[in-house]
Amino acid sequence: MPQIWVEHSRGLAFDRRGFAAELHPVVAELIDTTVEACKTRFRTVEEEFLGDGEPGRSAVYLELRILTGRPPALRTELSRRALALLEKHVPGERVHLAVNVTELDRDVYLSAAR
């Protein structure tokens, strides 16, 4: 169920699989699901304009979508721990990291695994 989307600057090298492997157990623990239910997709951003446009800047934006009903404190803790993992896995000095936990409407979200 958790849908994790990570968008990152082109040319930013980091261990994406290692990051996801550490993130999934954290998500599973905090929202009471299984690691197997977690799905992370990585997308390279082909074009972006960061700050004043000065070259050499990069960014990683993580959106973590979970079903509704979790209290704000839990979502905040999930954001905090996901950001800590990004800080651990993403190298560089001029990298903006951001995490946003959003909710999927449990009345209309459908999923199937085969």
Side-chain angles (χ1 to χ4, degrees):
M1 173 271 308
Q3 304 290 322
I4 305 161
W5 295 4
V6 181
E7 293 183 339
H8 59 86
S9 299
R10 185 170 31 104
L12 182 62
F14 69 101
D15 180 9
R16 295 183 295 272
R17 294 184 67 80
F19 168 74
E22 282 194 55
L23 179 64
H24 288 185
V26 169
V27 172
E29 171 194 339
L30 288 174
I31 69 168
D32 193 28
T33 191
T34 65
V35 169
E36 292 75 21
C38 297
K39 294 164 278 312
T40 298
R41 299 179 349 177
F42 295 92
R43 295 182 185 160
T44 301
V45 175
E46 292 301 318
E47 185 175 354
E48 61 193 349
F49 189 91
L50 303 172
D52 61 5
E54 183 180 340
R57 293 183 181 189
S58 55
V60 178
Y61 176 75
L62 184 151
E63 184 171 341
L64 207 155
R65 299 173 181 188
I66 60 175
L67 291 176
T68 57
R70 275 47 179 239
L74 183 139
R75 295 193 312 267
T76 299
E77 179 65 10
L78 186 54
S79 293
R80 187 189 67 73
R81 291 184 58 187
L83 182 60
L85 285 173
L86 280 176
E87 289 173 330
K88 175 182 174 183
H89 285 273
V90 178
E93 294 296 317
R94 302 185 65 196
V95 181
H96 177 79
L97 306 173
V99 175
N100 185 29
V101 176
T102 62
E103 294 183 312
L104 296 165
D105 185 338
R106 68 175 63 242
D107 293 331
V108 296
Y109 175 77
L110 300 175
S111 178
R114 299 202 234 172

